[in-house]
Amino acid sequence: MPQYQAPLTDMQFLLHDWLKLDQHYLNLGLQDFDQELVNEVLSQGAKFAEQVLAPLNREGDEQSCKLENGKVTTPDGFAAAYQEYVANGWNAMLGSAEYDGQDLPYSMAIPVHEMINAANISWRLITMLTESAVLAINKHGSQSLKDTYLAKLISGEWTGTMCLTEPHAGTDLSLLSTKAAPLDNGAYSITGSKIFISGGDQDWTDNILHLVLARLPDAPEGVRGISLFLVPKILVDENGQLTDSNSLSVGSLEKKMGIKACPTCVMNFDQAQGYLVGAPHKGLACMFTMMNDARFQVGLQGLGIAEAAFQGALSYARERLQSRAPQGIQNPEGKADPIIAQPDVRKMLLTQKSLTEGSRALALLYATQMDIEKNSQDDETRQDAAAVLAFLTPIAKGFMTDMGQEVSQLGVQVYGGHGFIREWGMEQLMRDSRITQLYEGTNGIQAADLVGRKLSRDNGKMLAATKSVFDNLISDIQDATAKQQAQELLAEWHQLSEQIKSQPAVDLAGAAYDYMNYSAYCLLGVLWFSMADSAQRSDNKSIASGKSATKNFYIKRMLPRKETFKCNLLNDASDLVDVADSDFDYQ
């Protein structure tokens, strides 16, 4: 498979020409950040992704992780890459300056995260969850917890995990049974088992901080009785120095379909000492700070894999000679034409390109809203940005990971039989991408969250705030025809969204996945009208031509997918719920 190359030209166009980051930063009072700094961060991030992480990807998949004598070893080169990552400050990009972080805007960090995911998704998982742990502790932890642990997490000296799932309790956390008992020293004794813990143990750092959901003795039933605890692998004294090993262990490593180079652990807590994060019985709300960040970051995993798959497919299609093109000979000096000349192959490549670049635009637009929520001095503006993020999170996670699987699958198809063979790398991308549709809440859960919470609650504020952001994009479109088409598309989406809000809960549940996809295709359509219009004013002729051609393809061949989802949205769920259980059997 060709070496991954970060799509810097596309990223810089989107950030500077389309999103106008310089003005965005000035509006937020972030005068220290400008186009030159953005480009330098992206350039250095690209070097790390291309030269350090990408060469480790295939070997990491081949080697996997090992558990020996209770300790996990990651593949060759992974720990050294992490030390380089930390030494160069990448782990501290988003951390608070109060704890020696760099406080970079999200719109600078998110493109780097995409590159890392494209280069090596298994490696990225541990650093991703550490960033999410920082958010949870920073927002909900006591001052003592912050002072003891945040600087170590932000610097990368220590890493963090998220411990939710139990063998009998996945999405339904009301079934959670891990117990927490108060100790005389103000800490808690944590007992229970957690599964699917990414980075539960590794050979990168001296300490790992587990954020664990558990129940106190007086906890009410259901999710209202869950508390969040910070449980370090190694205990820390009052001076922040490591002392004794805590009472926790790795039960086993999961044998997986993909992301084999990431240690996915069964973690056993046997009266391990932990510290309450947030208020008692309010752990789920605390954990959602971490989980919502992770959901968007998983969407970025889908995007990164899609970019890697598209690059591989495009390179192979240009090199592979097979048959003659139906439109006429394209390679008169050879015995056959490259398969990129075949209309069906071009359709697959344009499908990859339009979905990948459209999703990148969505991710970067999302990142600017994160900047606004964090930095705006106006309360109403921050609240609107938070509403947009809440609405778009399930779409970003659900659609972008489905998209990553579709694009990687098309990559295998473009390679033909070679795509099925390990040495070309495409089958690994397809295997690695499959988990993104499952963890941090399956995509069905994302869709249910979108219609059950984000669409139907808060008197439509999230929907209205999201529409406003896309209205603003449309207002900048200069081509009159494109502006009208974008306005009509957004109006259709908004009208249908308002229409289905009043449907019975069972009908909404039955059409949730349809609404998530309908929304994604409509909103990406608006993004493509906006991007292509902006590209016509770019000095880069390749960007101008490529965006225009890809927009035309998306509108003609991809956007019509929304009609099937729209049709399903207007049907009731009787064909789903009225089917007897016995009707699924052959007997």
Side-chain angles (χ1 to χ4, degrees):
M1 183 177 177
Q3 177 74 22
Y4 167 72
Q5 292 186 319
L8 291 178
T9 300
D10 192 47
M11 289 177 171
Q12 290 168 350
F13 160 73
L14 291 174
L15 292 171
H16 304 313
D17 297 355
W18 182 55
L19 291 173
K20 301 177 177 62
L21 271 201
D22 278 355
Q23 188 59 52
H24 170 70
Y25 291 155
L26 287 175
N27 292 343
L28 295 175
L30 303 175
Q31 290 87 350
D32 293 338
F33 303 102
D34 58 19
Q35 179 170 330
E36 183 178 355
L37 180 57
V38 171
N39 288 346
E40 179 63 18
V41 169
L42 265 59
S43 176
Q44 295 303 317
K47 288 181 181 178
F48 182 75
E50 295 168 357
Q51 299 175 15
V52 179
L53 295 183
L56 300 175
N57 193 35
R58 180 180 168 190
E59 285 304 311
D61 183 65
E62 296 281 354
Q63 288 185 28
S64 300
C65 298
K66 297 180 177 63
L67 175 62
E68 296 176 346
N69 300 319
K71 296 182 179 181
V72 170
T73 302
T74 56
D76 294 345
F78 272 49
Y82 180 73
Q83 297 308 316
E84 182 174 343
Y85 182 79
V86 168
N88 290 327
W90 295 111
N91 204 74
M93 281 193 295
L94 295 172
S96 168
E98 183 180 358
Y99 295 98
D100 300 324
Q102 298 175 24
D103 258 335
L104 293 187
Y106 285 96
S107 48
M108 290 179 68
I110 293 307
V112 177
H113 291 162
E114 181 202 321
M115 298 176 203
I116 294 173
N117 282 317
N120 197 324
I121 181 179
S122 289
W123 187 93
R124 167 62 181 155
L125 264 169
I126 294 175
T127 61
M128 180 197 91
L129 290 170
T130 300
E131 292 162 9
S132 299
V134 167
L135 289 176
I137 296 169
N138 191 51
K139 184 171 182 178
H140 304 288
S142 66
Q143 193 61 47
S144 175
L145 285 181
K146 293 178 185 178
D147 292 344
T148 303
Y149 296 105
L150 270 186
K152 302 283 192 180
L153 282 173
I154 289 170
S155 70
E157 185 174 343
W158 297 343
T159 60
T161 76
M162 183 193 311
C163 299
L164 290 77
T165 306
E166 299 178 2
H168 56 281
T171 298
D172 186 0
L173 291 173
S174 66
L175 302 175
L176 184 145
S177 62
T178 298
K179 300 184 184 305
L183 298 173
D184 293 340
N185 63 359
Y188 295 82
S189 173
I190 311 298
T191 301
S193 292
K194 300 288 184 176
I195 62 172
F196 304 156
I197 309 306
S198 299
D201 193 49
Q202 34 78 4
D203 53 354
W204 298 7
T205 60
D206 293 332
N207 206 5
I208 301 171
L209 307 180
H210 303 283
L211 289 182
V212 183
L213 290 180
R215 292 185 184 279
L216 291 164
D218 59 345
E221 295 292 326
V223 295
R224 297 180 185 276
I226 297 174
S227 300
L228 181 63
F229 300 88
L230 187 157
V231 184
K233 174 183 177 181
I234 309 295
L235 297 173
V236 180
D237 65 19
E238 63 274 11
N239 298 315
Q241 300 301 308
L242 298 179
T243 58
D244 301 322
S245 296
N246 210 347
S247 299
L248 56 87
S249 61
V250 180
S252 64
L253 286 178
E254 304 289 0
K255 294 178 172 60
K256 300 167 296 185
M257 180 184 199
I259 58 166
K260 294 184 177 185
C262 176
T264 304
C265 305
V266 174
M267 297 299 302
N268 297 323
F269 300 88
D270 184 13
Q271 298 183 357
Q273 188 163 304
Y275 309 94
L276 185 67
V277 179
H281 317 316
K282 302 295 183 183
L284 195 57
C286 299
M287 183 61 83
F288 263 108
T289 297
M290 189 175 187
M291 198 181 304
N292 283 330
D293 176 70
R295 285 176 171 175
F296 172 63
Q297 291 288 342
V298 170
L300 285 180
Q301 292 178 350
L303 172 58
I305 285 176
E307 175 63 33
F310 170 58
Q311 288 189 19
L314 180 61
S315 176
Y316 184 80
R318 284 172 168 162
E319 296 172 357
R320 175 68 167 172
L321 300 180
Q322 193 78 27
S323 305
R324 291 298 187 186
Q327 63 270 35
I329 294 175
Q330 306 294 306
N331 178 31
E333 303 302 319
K335 294 182 179 180
D337 293 326
I339 62 172
I340 195 172
Q342 296 291 332
D344 185 62
V345 173
R346 297 178 85 80
K347 181 167 65 175
M348 288 190 282
L349 293 171
L350 283 165
T351 298
Q352 290 181 306
K353 180 177 171 65
S354 66
L355 290 175
T356 301
E357 293 183 12
S359 294
R360 179 176 298 122
L362 178 63
L364 294 180
L365 181 68
Y366 186 106
T368 62
Q369 294 299 305
M370 296 171 84
D371 290 344
I372 293 169
E373 183 193 26
K374 178 181 178 181
N375 296 291
S376 176
Q377 300 301 306
D378 180 73
D379 287 343
E380 184 176 353
T381 301
R382 282 200 311 275
Q383 291 169 8
D384 285 344
V388 174
L389 294 172
F391 192 91
L392 289 180
T393 294
I395 297 175
K397 194 280 183 185
F399 180 79
M400 286 166 61
T401 57
D402 281 353
M403 180 276 301
Q405 177 69 190
E406 178 177 356
V407 170
S408 60
Q409 181 174 317
L410 286 172
V412 171
Q413 193 69 22
V414 170
Y415 273 77
H418 291 296
F420 201 69
I421 303 301
R422 287 181 63 81
E423 69 178 279
W424 293 89
M426 298 305 289
E427 61 86 32
Q428 182 189 340
L429 293 176
M430 189 172 172
R431 285 188 290 106
D432 284 348
S433 73
R434 191 62 184 89
I435 185 59
T436 66
Q437 299 169 285
L438 303 175
Y439 54 20
E440 303 309 335
T442 66
N443 288 356
I445 293 297
Q446 305 305 316
D449 175 59
L450 178 62
V451 299
R453 293 188 179 94
K454 310 305 172 56
L455 177 65
S456 305
R457 298 184 184 179
D458 82 346
N459 296 316
K461 181 179 179 181
M462 294 182 198
L463 176 65
T466 303
K467 180 177 182 294
S468 178
V469 168
F470 283 81
D471 276 329
N472 290 337
L473 289 176
I474 293 173
S475 69
D476 289 335
I477 296 177
Q478 295 187 14
D479 182 89
T481 301
K483 175 176 284 193
Q484 181 179 350
Q485 290 174 322
Q487 287 171 334
E488 291 172 352
L489 179 58
L490 189 64
E492 179 202 305
W493 168 76
H494 184 254
Q495 186 276 327
L496 189 59
S497 299
E498 290 284 1
Q499 179 181 339
I500 68 169
K501 281 198 304 184
S502 59
Q503 286 184 345
V506 66
D507 293 338
L508 267 180
Y513 217 96
D514 296 291
Y515 180 70
M516 183 180 75
N517 280 285
Y518 172 77
S519 296
Y521 280 106
C522 288
L523 296 179
L524 255 67
V526 174
L527 294 178
W528 268 113
F529 280 121
S530 175
M531 284 189 291
D533 183 80
S534 177
Q536 300 317 301
R537 295 179 290 282
S538 172
D539 293 333
N540 188 320
K541 293 183 179 180
S542 177
I543 283 285
S545 176
K547 291 295 182 189
S548 178
T550 310
K551 181 267 292 184
N552 291 340
F553 172 84
Y554 182 88
I555 300 304
K556 180 178 179 179
R557 293 188 182 269
M558 302 302 293
L559 186 59
R561 290 185 180 187
K562 73 180 175 65
E563 294 303 320
T564 298
F565 300 120
K566 180 179 179 181
C567 180
N568 288 337
L569 281 172
L570 300 176
N571 289 326
D572 62 39
S574 60
D575 59 316
L576 306 176
V577 299
D578 291 348
V579 178
D581 288 354
S582 60
D583 290 339
F584 288 96
D585 298 326
Y586 291 110
Q587 290 78 14

PDB file of all heavy atoms in Angstrom, residues 469-493:
ATOM      1  N   VAL A 469     -26.057  27.777  11.822  1.00  0.00           N
ATOM      2  CA  VAL A 469     -24.665  27.647  11.377  1.00  0.00           C
ATOM      3  C   VAL A 469     -24.604  27.366   9.880  1.00  0.00           C
ATOM      4  O   VAL A 469     -23.786  27.953   9.156  1.00  0.00           O
ATOM      5  CB  VAL A 469     -23.949  26.537  12.171  1.00  0.00           C
ATOM      6  CG1 VAL A 469     -22.610  26.191  11.542  1.00  0.00           C
ATOM      7  CG2 VAL A 469     -23.758  26.962  13.620  1.00  0.00           C
ATOM      8  N   PHE A 470     -25.474  26.491   9.399  1.00  0.00           N
ATOM      9  CA  PHE A 470     -25.464  26.165   7.972  1.00  0.00           C
ATOM     10  C   PHE A 470     -26.066  27.306   7.147  1.00  0.00           C
ATOM     11  O   PHE A 470     -25.656  27.532   5.999  1.00  0.00           O
ATOM     12  CB  PHE A 470     -26.191  24.840   7.735  1.00  0.00           C
ATOM     13  CG  PHE A 470     -25.362  23.644   8.100  1.00  0.00           C
ATOM     14  CD1 PHE A 470     -25.248  23.232   9.421  1.00  0.00           C
ATOM     15  CD2 PHE A 470     -24.643  22.951   7.138  1.00  0.00           C
ATOM     16  CE1 PHE A 470     -24.460  22.154   9.775  1.00  0.00           C
ATOM     17  CE2 PHE A 470     -23.846  21.872   7.471  1.00  0.00           C
ATOM     18  CZ  PHE A 470     -23.751  21.471   8.801  1.00  0.00           C
ATOM     19  N   ASP A 471     -27.023  28.050   7.708  1.00  0.00           N
ATOM     20  CA  ASP A 471     -27.521  29.252   7.035  1.00  0.00           C
ATOM     21  C   ASP A 471     -26.390  30.249   6.804  1.00  0.00           C
ATOM     22  O   ASP A 471     -26.318  30.881   5.736  1.00  0.00           O
ATOM     23  CB  ASP A 471     -28.613  29.924   7.889  1.00  0.00           C
ATOM     24  CG  ASP A 471     -29.991  29.306   7.685  1.00  0.00           C
ATOM     25  OD1 ASP A 471     -30.274  28.830   6.568  1.00  0.00           O
ATOM     26  OD2 ASP A 471     -30.779  29.320   8.641  1.00  0.00           O
ATOM     27  N   ASN A 472     -25.525  30.394   7.784  1.00  0.00           N
ATOM     28  CA  ASN A 472     -24.404  31.330   7.649  1.00  0.00           C
ATOM     29  C   ASN A 472     -23.452  30.907   6.536  1.00  0.00           C
ATOM     30  O   ASN A 472     -22.915  31.760   5.813  1.00  0.00           O
ATOM     31  CB  ASN A 472     -23.646  31.430   8.981  1.00  0.00           C
ATOM     32  CG  ASN A 472     -24.442  32.147  10.048  1.00  0.00           C
ATOM     33  OD1 ASN A 472     -25.348  32.932   9.744  1.00  0.00           O
ATOM     34  ND2 ASN A 472     -24.125  31.890  11.305  1.00  0.00           N
ATOM     35  N   LEU A 473     -23.235  29.603   6.394  1.00  0.00           N
ATOM     36  CA  LEU A 473     -22.402  29.129   5.290  1.00  0.00           C
ATOM     37  C   LEU A 473     -23.046  29.483   3.948  1.00  0.00           C
ATOM     38  O   LEU A 473     -22.370  29.934   3.012  1.00  0.00           O
ATOM     39  CB  LEU A 473     -22.203  27.616   5.383  1.00  0.00           C
ATOM     40  CG  LEU A 473     -21.322  27.083   6.501  1.00  0.00           C
ATOM     41  CD1 LEU A 473     -21.335  25.558   6.485  1.00  0.00           C
ATOM     42  CD2 LEU A 473     -19.885  27.591   6.366  1.00  0.00           C
ATOM     43  N   ILE A 474     -24.343  29.263   3.864  1.00  0.00           N
ATOM     44  CA  ILE A 474     -25.056  29.534   2.608  1.00  0.00           C
ATOM     45  C   ILE A 474     -25.018  31.019   2.271  1.00  0.00           C
ATOM     46  O   ILE A 474     -24.903  31.396   1.097  1.00  0.00           O
ATOM     47  CB  ILE A 474     -26.514  29.030   2.704  1.00  0.00           C
ATOM     48  CG1 ILE A 474     -26.529  27.500   2.794  1.00  0.00           C
ATOM     49  CG2 ILE A 474     -27.333  29.500   1.513  1.00  0.00           C
ATOM     50  CD1 ILE A 474     -27.901  26.919   3.065  1.00  0.00           C
ATOM     51  N   SER A 475     -25.077  31.869   3.285  1.00  0.00           N
ATOM     52  CA  SER A 475     -25.099  33.321   3.030  1.00  0.00           C
ATOM     53  C   SER A 475     -23.819  33.794   2.347  1.00  0.00           C
ATOM     54  O   SER A 475     -23.826  34.839   1.674  1.00  0.00           O
ATOM     55  CB  SER A 475     -25.305  34.078   4.345  1.00  0.00           C
ATOM     56  OG  SER A 475     -24.161  33.955   5.189  1.00  0.00           O
ATOM     57  N   ASP A 476     -22.728  33.042   2.496  1.00  0.00           N
ATOM     58  CA  ASP A 476     -21.466  33.429   1.873  1.00  0.00           C
ATOM     59  C   ASP A 476     -21.302  32.890   0.458  1.00  0.00           C
ATOM     60  O   ASP A 476     -20.319  33.229  -0.221  1.00  0.00           O
ATOM     61  CB  ASP A 476     -20.288  32.927   2.728  1.00  0.00           C
ATOM     62  CG  ASP A 476     -20.155  33.687   4.036  1.00  0.00           C
ATOM     63  OD1 ASP A 476     -20.611  34.836   4.100  1.00  0.00           O
ATOM     64  OD2 ASP A 476     -19.593  33.116   4.998  1.00  0.00           O
ATOM     65  N   ILE A 477     -22.217  32.036  -0.007  1.00  0.00           N
ATOM     66  CA  ILE A 477     -22.126  31.495  -1.365  1.00  0.00           C
ATOM     67  C   ILE A 477     -22.424  32.605  -2.366  1.00  0.00           C
ATOM     68  O   ILE A 477     -23.444  33.293  -2.268  1.00  0.00           O
ATOM     69  CB  ILE A 477     -23.107  30.323  -1.554  1.00  0.00           C
ATOM     70  CG1 ILE A 477     -22.718  29.158  -0.629  1.00  0.00           C
ATOM     71  CG2 ILE A 477     -23.130  29.861  -3.008  1.00  0.00           C
ATOM     72  CD1 ILE A 477     -23.673  27.984  -0.680  1.00  0.00           C
ATOM     73  N   GLN A 478     -21.539  32.789  -3.316  1.00  0.00           N
ATOM     74  CA  GLN A 478     -21.692  33.884  -4.276  1.00  0.00           C
ATOM     75  C   GLN A 478     -22.435  33.474  -5.540  1.00  0.00           C
ATOM     76  O   GLN A 478     -23.101  34.305  -6.169  1.00  0.00           O
ATOM     77  CB  GLN A 478     -20.312  34.457  -4.631  1.00  0.00           C
ATOM     78  CG  GLN A 478     -19.633  35.114  -3.436  1.00  0.00           C
ATOM     79  CD  GLN A 478     -18.349  35.824  -3.815  1.00  0.00           C
ATOM     80  OE1 GLN A 478     -18.066  36.056  -5.006  1.00  0.00           O
ATOM     81  NE2 GLN A 478     -17.558  36.200  -2.813  1.00  0.00           N
ATOM     82  N   ASP A 479     -22.337  32.233  -5.933  1.00  0.00           N
ATOM     83  CA  ASP A 479     -23.054  31.768  -7.117  1.00  0.00           C
ATOM     84  C   ASP A 479     -24.544  31.675  -6.797  1.00  0.00           C
ATOM     85  O   ASP A 479     -24.951  30.942  -5.890  1.00  0.00           O
ATOM     86  CB  ASP A 479     -22.521  30.408  -7.551  1.00  0.00           C
ATOM     87  CG  ASP A 479     -23.206  29.894  -8.801  1.00  0.00           C
ATOM     88  OD1 ASP A 479     -22.737  30.195  -9.902  1.00  0.00           O
ATOM     89  OD2 ASP A 479     -24.225  29.181  -8.646  1.00  0.00           O
ATOM     90  N   ALA A 480     -25.362  32.399  -7.520  1.00  0.00           N
ATOM     91  CA  ALA A 480     -26.784  32.505  -7.199  1.00  0.00           C
ATOM     92  C   ALA A 480     -27.506  31.166  -7.294  1.00  0.00           C
ATOM     93  O   ALA A 480     -28.350  30.836  -6.443  1.00  0.00           O
ATOM     94  CB  ALA A 480     -27.458  33.525  -8.120  1.00  0.00           C
ATOM     95  N   THR A 481     -27.185  30.385  -8.321  1.00  0.00           N
ATOM     96  CA  THR A 481     -27.842  29.088  -8.489  1.00  0.00           C
ATOM     97  C   THR A 481     -27.465  28.144  -7.362  1.00  0.00           C
ATOM     98  O   THR A 481     -28.317  27.459  -6.782  1.00  0.00           O
ATOM     99  CB  THR A 481     -27.458  28.463  -9.838  1.00  0.00           C
ATOM    100  OG1 THR A 481     -27.855  29.342 -10.891  1.00  0.00           O
ATOM    101  CG2 THR A 481     -28.141  27.114 -10.017  1.00  0.00           C
ATOM    102  N   ALA A 482     -26.182  28.088  -7.037  1.00  0.00           N
ATOM    103  CA  ALA A 482     -25.733  27.221  -5.953  1.00  0.00           C
ATOM    104  C   ALA A 482     -26.349  27.648  -4.622  1.00  0.00           C
ATOM    105  O   ALA A 482     -26.744  26.803  -3.803  1.00  0.00           O
ATOM    106  CB  ALA A 482     -24.207  27.243  -5.866  1.00  0.00           C
ATOM    107  N   LYS A 483     -26.429  28.950  -4.391  1.00  0.00           N
ATOM    108  CA  LYS A 483     -27.019  29.446  -3.140  1.00  0.00           C
ATOM    109  C   LYS A 483     -28.473  29.010  -3.037  1.00  0.00           C
ATOM    110  O   LYS A 483     -28.917  28.538  -1.977  1.00  0.00           O
ATOM    111  CB  LYS A 483     -26.915  30.967  -3.066  1.00  0.00           C
ATOM    112  CG  LYS A 483     -27.621  31.561  -1.846  1.00  0.00           C
ATOM    113  CD  LYS A 483     -27.435  33.051  -1.747  1.00  0.00           C
ATOM    114  CE  LYS A 483     -26.053  33.389  -1.242  1.00  0.00           C
ATOM    115  NZ  LYS A 483     -25.904  34.806  -0.840  1.00  0.00           N
ATOM    116  N   GLN A 484     -29.219  29.138  -4.103  1.00  0.00           N
ATOM    117  CA  GLN A 484     -30.625  28.746  -4.071  1.00  0.00           C
ATOM    118  C   GLN A 484     -30.780  27.249  -3.832  1.00  0.00           C
ATOM    119  O   GLN A 484     -31.629  26.815  -3.041  1.00  0.00           O
ATOM    120  CB  GLN A 484     -31.317  29.142  -5.378  1.00  0.00           C
ATOM    121  CG  GLN A 484     -32.805  28.773  -5.403  1.00  0.00           C
ATOM    122  CD  GLN A 484     -33.492  29.194  -6.689  1.00  0.00           C
ATOM    123  OE1 GLN A 484     -32.925  29.922  -7.496  1.00  0.00           O
ATOM    124  NE2 GLN A 484     -34.718  28.727  -6.879  1.00  0.00           N
ATOM    125  N   GLN A 485     -29.957  26.447  -4.503  1.00  0.00           N
ATOM    126  CA  GLN A 485     -30.040  24.998  -4.317  1.00  0.00           C
ATOM    127  C   GLN A 485     -29.694  24.609  -2.873  1.00  0.00           C
ATOM    128  O   GLN A 485     -30.343  23.736  -2.287  1.00  0.00           O
ATOM    129  CB  GLN A 485     -29.091  24.291  -5.295  1.00  0.00           C
ATOM    130  CG  GLN A 485     -29.542  24.380  -6.738  1.00  0.00           C
ATOM    131  CD  GLN A 485     -28.519  23.797  -7.698  1.00  0.00           C
ATOM    132  OE1 GLN A 485     -27.314  23.953  -7.515  1.00  0.00           O
ATOM    133  NE2 GLN A 485     -28.990  23.103  -8.720  1.00  0.00           N
ATOM    134  N   ALA A 486     -28.692  25.261  -2.312  1.00  0.00           N
ATOM    135  CA  ALA A 486     -28.316  24.980  -0.925  1.00  0.00           C
ATOM    136  C   ALA A 486     -29.426  25.400   0.034  1.00  0.00           C
ATOM    137  O   ALA A 486     -29.732  24.686   1.005  1.00  0.00           O
ATOM    138  CB  ALA A 486     -27.014  25.696  -0.588  1.00  0.00           C
ATOM    139  N   GLN A 487     -30.030  26.548  -0.217  1.00  0.00           N
ATOM    140  CA  GLN A 487     -31.131  27.012   0.631  1.00  0.00           C
ATOM    141  C   GLN A 487     -32.305  26.042   0.590  1.00  0.00           C
ATOM    142  O   GLN A 487     -32.902  25.721   1.635  1.00  0.00           O
ATOM    143  CB  GLN A 487     -31.588  28.408   0.174  1.00  0.00           C
ATOM    144  CG  GLN A 487     -30.618  29.514   0.518  1.00  0.00           C
ATOM    145  CD  GLN A 487     -30.991  30.837  -0.119  1.00  0.00           C
ATOM    146  OE1 GLN A 487     -31.654  30.882  -1.172  1.00  0.00           O
ATOM    147  NE2 GLN A 487     -30.545  31.928   0.482  1.00  0.00           N
ATOM    148  N   GLU A 488     -32.629  25.566  -0.592  1.00  0.00           N
ATOM    149  CA  GLU A 488     -33.751  24.637  -0.732  1.00  0.00           C
ATOM    150  C   GLU A 488     -33.458  23.317  -0.025  1.00  0.00           C
ATOM    151  O   GLU A 488     -34.346  22.732   0.610  1.00  0.00           O
ATOM    152  CB  GLU A 488     -34.048  24.404  -2.219  1.00  0.00           C
ATOM    153  CG  GLU A 488     -34.626  25.631  -2.916  1.00  0.00           C
ATOM    154  CD  GLU A 488     -34.739  25.452  -4.420  1.00  0.00           C
ATOM    155  OE1 GLU A 488     -34.221  24.422  -4.932  1.00  0.00           O
ATOM    156  OE2 GLU A 488     -35.322  26.328  -5.087  1.00  0.00           O
ATOM    157  N   LEU A 489     -32.229  22.854  -0.126  1.00  0.00           N
ATOM    158  CA  LEU A 489     -31.844  21.599   0.526  1.00  0.00           C
ATOM    159  C   LEU A 489     -31.923  21.740   2.041  1.00  0.00           C
ATOM    160  O   LEU A 489     -32.473  20.857   2.725  1.00  0.00           O
ATOM    161  CB  LEU A 489     -30.429  21.220   0.096  1.00  0.00           C
ATOM    162  CG  LEU A 489     -29.841  19.946   0.702  1.00  0.00           C
ATOM    163  CD1 LEU A 489     -30.706  18.729   0.387  1.00  0.00           C
ATOM    164  CD2 LEU A 489     -28.411  19.737   0.196  1.00  0.00           C
ATOM    165  N   LEU A 490     -31.381  22.826   2.576  1.00  0.00           N
ATOM    166  CA  LEU A 490     -31.418  23.017   4.025  1.00  0.00           C
ATOM    167  C   LEU A 490     -32.849  23.209   4.506  1.00  0.00           C
ATOM    168  O   LEU A 490     -33.224  22.695   5.577  1.00  0.00           O
ATOM    169  CB  LEU A 490     -30.564  24.225   4.412  1.00  0.00           C
ATOM    170  CG  LEU A 490     -30.340  24.404   5.919  1.00  0.00           C
ATOM    171  CD1 LEU A 490     -29.538  23.234   6.489  1.00  0.00           C
ATOM    172  CD2 LEU A 490     -29.630  25.732   6.207  1.00  0.00           C
ATOM    173  N   ALA A 491     -33.661  23.919   3.745  1.00  0.00           N
ATOM    174  CA  ALA A 491     -35.060  24.128   4.133  1.00  0.00           C
ATOM    175  C   ALA A 491     -35.820  22.808   4.156  1.00  0.00           C
ATOM    176  O   ALA A 491     -36.635  22.569   5.061  1.00  0.00           O
ATOM    177  CB  ALA A 491     -35.725  25.110   3.170  1.00  0.00           C
ATOM    178  N   GLU A 492     -35.556  21.931   3.184  1.00  0.00           N
ATOM    179  CA  GLU A 492     -36.210  20.624   3.168  1.00  0.00           C
ATOM    180  C   GLU A 492     -35.844  19.826   4.420  1.00  0.00           C
ATOM    181  O   GLU A 492     -36.709  19.233   5.082  1.00  0.00           O
ATOM    182  CB  GLU A 492     -35.803  19.846   1.916  1.00  0.00           C
ATOM    183  CG  GLU A 492     -36.425  18.447   1.847  1.00  0.00           C
ATOM    184  CD  GLU A 492     -35.666  17.502   0.944  1.00  0.00           C
ATOM    185  OE1 GLU A 492     -35.461  17.845  -0.233  1.00  0.00           O
ATOM    186  OE2 GLU A 492     -35.284  16.409   1.418  1.00  0.00           O
ATOM    187  N   TRP A 493     -34.548  19.811   4.729  1.00  0.00           N
ATOM    188  CA  TRP A 493     -34.086  19.076   5.914  1.00  0.00           C
ATOM    189  C   TRP A 493     -34.722  19.618   7.183  1.00  0.00           C
ATOM    190  O   TRP A 493     -35.197  18.861   8.032  1.00  0.00           O
ATOM    191  CB  TRP A 493     -32.553  19.159   6.004  1.00  0.00           C
ATOM    192  CG  TRP A 493     -32.029  18.692   7.331  1.00  0.00           C
ATOM    193  CD1 TRP A 493     -31.918  17.405   7.762  1.00  0.00           C
ATOM    194  CD2 TRP A 493     -31.563  19.521   8.403  1.00  0.00           C
ATOM    195  NE1 TRP A 493     -31.407  17.373   9.044  1.00  0.00           N
ATOM    196  CE2 TRP A 493     -31.178  18.652   9.459  1.00  0.00           C
ATOM    197  CE3 TRP A 493     -31.423  20.910   8.579  1.00  0.00           C
ATOM    198  CZ2 TRP A 493     -30.663  19.147  10.667  1.00  0.00           C
ATOM    199  CZ3 TRP A 493     -30.907  21.389   9.776  1.00  0.00           C
ATOM    200  CH2 TRP A 493     -30.541  20.514  10.805  1.00  0.00           C
TER     201      TRP A 493
END
